[in-house]
C-alpha cells in the first residue's frame, strides 16, 4: 500500500513539472519560425487555404490561448496533424510513436548492456585497485569518454564496411544476401525468409548499439568504481571484515548494493539524455527514429511534431526517474518508500 501511495505522490508532483515544461517548450517551439512558411512559398497555395490552416493551428491567437487549446487536445489523444509538405494532414501520434519505438528498441538494449558491463568492470577495478586490470579499465573508460559519439559511430561503420568487403571477397554471405554487419537501418534490408528476424537484430542493431554503449559504458564504469571504493572504505564494511566474514560476502552482501545507488541515479538521468540525443547515431546509420524525426520537424518548422516529440521525451525522463526512486528502496533498506 505504501508503494502505491508513493507512486501516486510522485506522479502528482511530476504532473505540474510536466505542465510547466510543456508550456516552456510550446513557447520555444512557437518562436522557432513560421510553421506555414512552406505553404506561403508555394504558388499553388491560395491565401484562403493558408488562412484556413492558420485558423486550424490557432496561429491567429496569442500564445497562451494556443497553448491551452493544444493541451486540451493533447490530453484527449489528439496530437494534431503534421503541416510539413509531403506529410500534410498526417496524424502526429502514430508518426511520433513509430519513431519512438525504433529509438526505444535501440537505446534500451544499448543502455542495459552498457550498465551491466560498466558495473562489472567498475566493481572489478575497485576491488583490484591499482592492478593492471584497474589501469586498463581506467584507460579504456577515459578513451571512450573523450571520443565524440559521431567519431565512434563513423569509425565502426568504416571498419564494418571493410569487413563486409573482405567477407564478400571470400564468397561468403548470409542466407538473405545481406552483408554480415549492417551499416544501415533494418527497413532497408531483406528480412524475409529464414533468419530474417535474427539478421535484423544481430546485424542491423550491432553498430548503433556499440556506438551508444561506448560513451555510457565509460560513465557507468567510472561511477561504479568510485562508488565501490568509497563503500569499501566505509565503517560498516570494515566492521564486517573485522568479524571475519569472507571477502566475497563483504563485497556482494555489504558493499555492492549500496555502491549501486549513485549509478542508478546516473542511469536514470543518462537514459533520458541518450533517448533524446540519439540523433547523431541515427543519422550516421540512417535510422528512422526520434533523432531523424526531430531534425525533419525542426527543418520544416513542423510545430505539432516537435511538441509531440518533446512531451514524449519529457514523460520518458519522468518515468525513468520514478523507476530510479523505487530502486533506491530496493538497494538500500534504510531508504523507505513511505
Amino acid at each position: 500500500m505504501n508503494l502505491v501511495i508513493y507512486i501516486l505522490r510522485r506522479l502528482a508532483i511530476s504532473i505540474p513539472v510536466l505542465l510547466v515544461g510543456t508550456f516552456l517548450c510550446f513557447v520555444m517551439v512557437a518562436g522557432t519560425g513560421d510553421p506555414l512558411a512552406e505553404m506561403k512559398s508555394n504558388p499553388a497555395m491560395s491565401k484562403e487555404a493558408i488562412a484556413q490552416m492558420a485558423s486550424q493551428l490557432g496561429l491567429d491567437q496569442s500564445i497562451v490561448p494556443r497553448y491551452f487549446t493544444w493541451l486540451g487536445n493533447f490530453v484527449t489523444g489528439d496530437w494534431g496533424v503534421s503541416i510539413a509538405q509531403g506529410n500534410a494532414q498526417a496524424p502526429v501520434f502514430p508518426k511520433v510513436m513509430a519513431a519512438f519505438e525504433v529509438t526505444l528498441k535501440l537505446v534500451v538494449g544499448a543502455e542495459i548492456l552498457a550498465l551491466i558491463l560498466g558495473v562489472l568492470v567498475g566493481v572489478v577495478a575497485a576491488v583490484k585497485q591499482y592492478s593492471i586490470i584497474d589501469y586498463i579499465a581506467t584507460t579504456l573508460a577515459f578513451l571512450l569518454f573523450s571520443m565524440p559519439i559521431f567519431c565512434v559511430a563513423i569509425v565502426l561503420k568504416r571498419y564494418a564496411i571493410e569487413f563486409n568487403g573482405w567477407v564478400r571477397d571470400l564468397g561468403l554471405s548470409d542466407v538473405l544476401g545481406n552483408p554480415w554487419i549492417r551499416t544501415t537501418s533494418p527497413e532497408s534490408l531483406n528480412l524475409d525468409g529464414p533468419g530474417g528476424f535474427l539478421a535484423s537484430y544481430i546485424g542491423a542493431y550491432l553498430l548503433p548499439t556499440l556506438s551508444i554503449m561506448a560513451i555510457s559504458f565509460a560513465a557507468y564504469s567510472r561511477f561504479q568504481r568510485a562508488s565501490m571504493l568509497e563503500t569499501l572504505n566505509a565503517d560498516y564494511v570494515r566492521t564486517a571484515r573485522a568479524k571475519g566474514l569472507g571477502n566475497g560476502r563483504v563485497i556482494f552482501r555489504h558493499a555492492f548494493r549500496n555502491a549501486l545507488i549513485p549509478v542508478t541515479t546516473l542511469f536514470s538521468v543518462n537514459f533520458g539524455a541518450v533517448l533524446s540525443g540519439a540523433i547523431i547515431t541515427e543519422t550516421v546509420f540512417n535510422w528512422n527514429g526520434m533523432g531523424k524525426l526531430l531534425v525533419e520537424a525542426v527543418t520544416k518548422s513542423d510545430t505539432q511534431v516537435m511538441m509531440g516529440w518533446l512531451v514524449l521525451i519529457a514523460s520518458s525522463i519522468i518515468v525513468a526517474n520514478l523507476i530510479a526512486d523505487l530502486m533506491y528502496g530496493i538497494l538500500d533498506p534504510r531508504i523507505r518508500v513511505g
Side-chain angles (χ1 to χ4, degrees):
M1 189 63 182
N2 288 337
L3 179 62
V4 175
I5 295 175
Y6 175 76
I7 294 175
L8 293 176
R9 186 186 302 130
R10 290 289 300 174
L11 289 175
I13 296 173
S14 300
I15 290 175
V17 174
L18 186 60
L19 289 175
V20 173
T22 57
F23 178 74
L24 294 176
C25 289
F26 192 87
V27 172
M28 290 187 291
V29 167
T32 56
D34 185 2
L36 303 181
E38 286 192 50
M39 293 183 64
K40 292 178 180 179
S41 63
N42 186 355
M45 297 297 298
S46 64
K47 292 183 179 180
E48 292 77 12
I50 295 175
Q52 182 180 0
M53 180 60 70
S55 177
Q56 180 180 342
L57 296 176
L59 297 178
D60 54 348
Q61 303 176 5
S62 61
I63 190 70
V64 175
R66 283 168 55 192
Y67 168 74
F68 282 106
T69 300
W70 169 85
L71 181 63
N73 293 332
F74 191 89
V75 297
T76 57
D78 181 9
W79 290 26
V81 295
S82 174
I83 60 175
Q85 290 190 10
N87 294 320
Q89 302 301 315
V92 170
F93 180 78
K95 185 180 181 69
V96 175
M97 292 306 298
F100 183 70
E101 181 181 358
V102 172
T103 301
L104 195 63
K105 288 179 181 179
L106 180 61
V107 170
V108 168
E111 283 296 288
I112 290 177
L113 291 174
L115 179 64
I116 294 174
L117 187 59
V119 168
L120 177 62
V121 172
V123 170
V124 174
V127 174
K128 303 291 184 181
Q129 187 181 18
Y130 302 133
S131 66
I132 185 63
I133 297 177
D134 186 21
Y135 287 129
I136 293 174
T138 300
T139 302
L140 180 62
F142 278 120
L143 178 64
L144 293 175
F145 201 73
S146 62
M147 293 179 65
I149 191 168
F150 73 86
C151 181
V152 176
I154 291 174
V155 169
L156 288 174
K157 186 172 183 177
R158 175 189 173 184
Y159 283 108
I161 293 174
E162 293 182 358
F163 174 79
N164 289 334
W166 176 72
V167 171
R168 185 175 59 252
D169 292 340
L170 293 177
L172 302 175
S173 62
D174 70 359
V175 294
L176 301 175
N178 294 315
W180 281 56
I181 301 179
R182 281 74 181 176
T183 57
T184 185
S185 63
E187 290 87 347
S188 61
L189 300 173
N190 175 22
L191 301 179
D192 298 326
F197 180 83
L198 187 63
S200 68
Y201 276 83
I202 293 181
Y205 280 70
L206 179 61
L207 296 184
T209 298
L210 290 177
S211 301
I212 296 175
M213 273 184 60
I215 309 299
S216 297
F217 160 76
Y220 295 147
S221 64
R222 296 308 299 162
F223 264 77
Q224 184 62 46
R225 179 184 182 275
S227 179
M228 194 70 181
L229 285 174
E230 181 180 357
T231 306
L232 289 174
N233 292 320
D235 291 339
Y236 68 90
V237 173
R238 286 198 293 265
T239 301
R241 292 186 188 278
K243 290 180 178 180
L245 298 179
N247 190 49
R249 187 173 182 182
V250 169
I251 292 174
F252 293 103
R253 290 290 299 275
H254 295 272
F256 178 65
R257 289 177 61 178
N258 286 337
L260 282 175
I261 294 177
V263 183
T264 302
T265 303
L266 176 64
F267 179 80
S268 65
V269 174
N270 192 59
F271 182 82
V274 172
L275 190 64
S276 60
I279 299 174
I280 297 175
T281 303
E282 292 179 354
T283 301
V284 172
F285 297 105
N286 193 30
W287 279 65
N288 296 319
M290 294 290 280
K292 186 176 181 179
L293 180 67
L294 179 63
V295 171
E296 291 180 351
V298 172
T299 302
K300 299 178 180 179
S301 296
D302 199 341
T303 55
Q304 301 285 7
V305 174
M306 281 191 279
M307 282 305 303
W309 189 96
L310 289 168
V311 174
L312 192 56
I313 292 297
S315 302
S316 300
I317 294 174
I318 290 175
V319 171
N321 280 275
L322 175 61
I323 294 174
D325 289 341
L326 296 177
M327 287 299 298
Y328 295 152
I330 297 175
L331 295 173
D332 190 346
R334 294 173 298 178
I335 302 176
R336 297 300 178 185
V337 173

